Amino acid sequence: MTENLTKTQSAPKRAALLWASVGGAVATAASTFLPWTWTTAFPGNLTIYGNPASLQLLTLVGAVLTGLHALSALGLKGLGWLTPAGARKALWIMALGTFATTLFTALAIVVELGALVDLEPGAGVAVVAAAVPAIAAYLLPDDTRKAAPAKQLASWIEILIIVAVFAVGLLVVTFGIDTDDSEPQLFIAYLILVGFSAVALIKSGLTQRLSAITARNRQVAVTSSLVAAIAFPFLQQSGDTYTLIAVNILIFATVALGLNIVVGLAGLLDLGYVAFLGVGAYTAALVSGATSSAFGVQFPFWAAALTGMAASLVFGVVIGAPTLRLRGDYLAIVTLGFGEIFRIAMGNLDGTSGPKITNGPNGIPNIPHLEFFGYNFGKPHTVLGVELGAYANYYLLMILIMALVVLVFARASNSRIGRAWVAIREDETAATAMGINGFRVKLIAFALGAALAGLAGTVQAHVNTTVVPENYVFAGPVPPNSAFLLAAVILGGMGTISGPIVGSALLFLIPAKLQFMQDYQLLGFGLALILLMRFRPEGLIANKRAQLEFHENDDQVAVPEQRQSEDEGADAGTAKAGA
């Protein structure tokens, strides 16, 4: 009776806090239609009434999402699907993200223009209004619950949901890539809002339901993702400026997926993996008709790609055969040495220190663009009424190569050899005792990963039209390099497909957009890894095995409760039978 009385007394307080969140969200949204500064000197022009600029649009989107979460918590009909696992945490994180985005914009105005008086009243209203939902949501009682399994919807409704999700994802990614490099404030605010929104979606349980829907409609989900990826260059209105970033992200992600076979599935720590990318790039440069090539031959692309893959595979076998009997730190040191040996060797094959093959530090320039059946990738072409530039052509090519690599990874990980890789990763001694040839299995992983990296390298050579040794270092401010590749796999989630892709996109996009922080890039990179290891060691997108390993205590708490309920059910059944 006391508990019911407490709940009755707390219900009005909860409703008042939720309505305060709704009111704060509405006021925040309204403030975006007011000017936040009086001068156009601040990037983005936040001086216009009734027409939110890009930075204000981010606050507007955050306010709308905050209001929807608050209304869902109030039980508004039709919004219950938004918070199946409870509304309080998701609402608080979403409100906090909106407040952080708004506060950052206001502080950026003050710092950029130099005085507090440069803020218009609209900015003050926005900051205060955005703080209200964050405070109110923090004071709410926790209502976290296990999300109930969603009933299966009609197939056409689930297909529409999948299409809508990928359409929104394409819009969000396009907005981030298309942010002007002269407005770093916009990209930072974008990262803040997207990061908090992603966490809010996870805490609300909505991502679990979306995962269940995509699992039931896997072919539709794969097709939708492919269509969304292909649509990206058709949405670019400013030419190839930002498509080049997307091409490099795909190359980076393809190499990361190959490394994921070695590190994520087989558990081999490779610190010189970027060398295989270089082997493929140099091979393609030497056989693709470059004017400075020592061979003077020009293969068609399919032959150059196969040659690059074969060369990388051979190097993988040659390096792996004598070294894969090592384990742990010793293997990492040897692979690190191989990466440095490759870079130094390419710099010495200049005709003075060694045979004249790679032109030494000058590299191999003037690599011709690809050409398929008269379709020159280096020239713009009009497709469906949209002019696609050179980088858009290479982007579409990399989409096909990425699809091939994903197919190879998925088939390999689910095969017998894939299960052997996982067994070796978990406990090589036990796997060997069960009859698995550890050396042969690890060598296959090393060779396959090297071949996939070589394939990506052949495209990279044609995109950059030049190959130099400095592109293949262990660590540096510009990815891809071995350190960033390994970090992309760990950050995204080892052993998964989407994890390294997400990790690669973040680790390439952020340095490309925040060039003014280049001197502090590695510092920020290290801090990000420390925070990741502390709060989400399994990666942003982790498989179930990793989640069980890193959250073992949570499972130990849940299992006894489950056993207790099963025991109670068994006792009840026994009592009923006895009666």
Side-chain angles (χ1 to χ4, degrees), residues 30 38 54 64 96 139 154 210 220 335 362-363 368 387 413 415 437-438 472 505:
W38 61 273
S54 297
V64 170
L96 195 61
L139 297 175
L210 292 176
V220 175
T335 55
N362 296 324
E387 186 179 72
S413 62
S415 66
N437 188 332
Y472 310 104

Side-chain angles (χ1 to χ4, degrees), residues 387-444:
E387 186 179 72
L388 299 180
Y391 295 132
N393 299 326
Y394 284 110
Y395 172 86
L396 295 176
L397 175 63
M398 279 306 305
I399 288 293
L400 296 179
I401 293 178
M402 170 68 76
L404 174 63
V405 172
V406 168
L407 179 63
V408 170
F409 183 90
R411 294 295 185 184
S413 62
N414 293 324
S415 66
R416 180 180 179 181
I417 190 70
R419 293 191 292 271
W421 287 335
V422 174
I424 290 292
R425 181 191 69 193
E426 297 301 321
D427 192 328
E428 184 174 352
T429 303
T432 304
M434 296 301 293
I436 295 176
N437 188 332
F439 173 76
R440 182 175 65 87
V441 167
K442 290 190 291 185
L443 188 61
I444 293 174

Side-chain angles (χ1 to χ4, degrees), residues 163-250:
V163 172
V165 168
F166 279 101
V168 172
L170 175 62
L171 179 63
V172 172
V173 172
T174 302
F175 183 90
I177 293 179
D178 289 353
T179 53
D180 195 342
D181 293 345
S182 63
E183 301 181 27
Q185 301 89 348
L186 176 59
F187 185 71
I188 295 175
Y190 163 82
L191 287 179
I192 293 173
L193 183 62
V194 170
F196 276 95
S197 300
V199 176
L201 288 177
I202 294 173
K203 293 297 183 181
S204 68
L206 188 59
T207 54
Q208 296 179 0
R209 290 197 171 181
L210 292 176
S211 299
I213 292 176
T214 54
R216 290 195 295 264
N217 303 271
R218 189 172 298 276
Q219 293 182 350
V220 175
V222 171
T223 304
S224 299
S225 63
L226 186 60
V227 170
I230 293 174
F232 173 79
F234 293 92
L235 300 177
Q236 299 300 301
Q237 302 298 326
S238 56
D240 274 1
T241 304
Y242 303 114
T243 309
L244 175 60
I245 296 177
V247 173
N248 287 320
I249 288 175
L250 289 178

Side-chain angles (χ1 to χ4, degrees), residues 11-22:
K13 178 182 177 181
R14 180 176 181 274
L17 292 172
L18 289 174
W19 280 115
S21 300
V22 173

Side-chain angles (χ1 to χ4, degrees), residues 300-303 305 369-377 393 397 400:
F301 174 68
W302 64 268
H369 287 287
L370 298 178
E371 188 169 345
F372 286 161
F373 304 105
Y375 187 95
N376 192 314
F377 278 60
N393 299 326
L397 175 63
L400 296 179

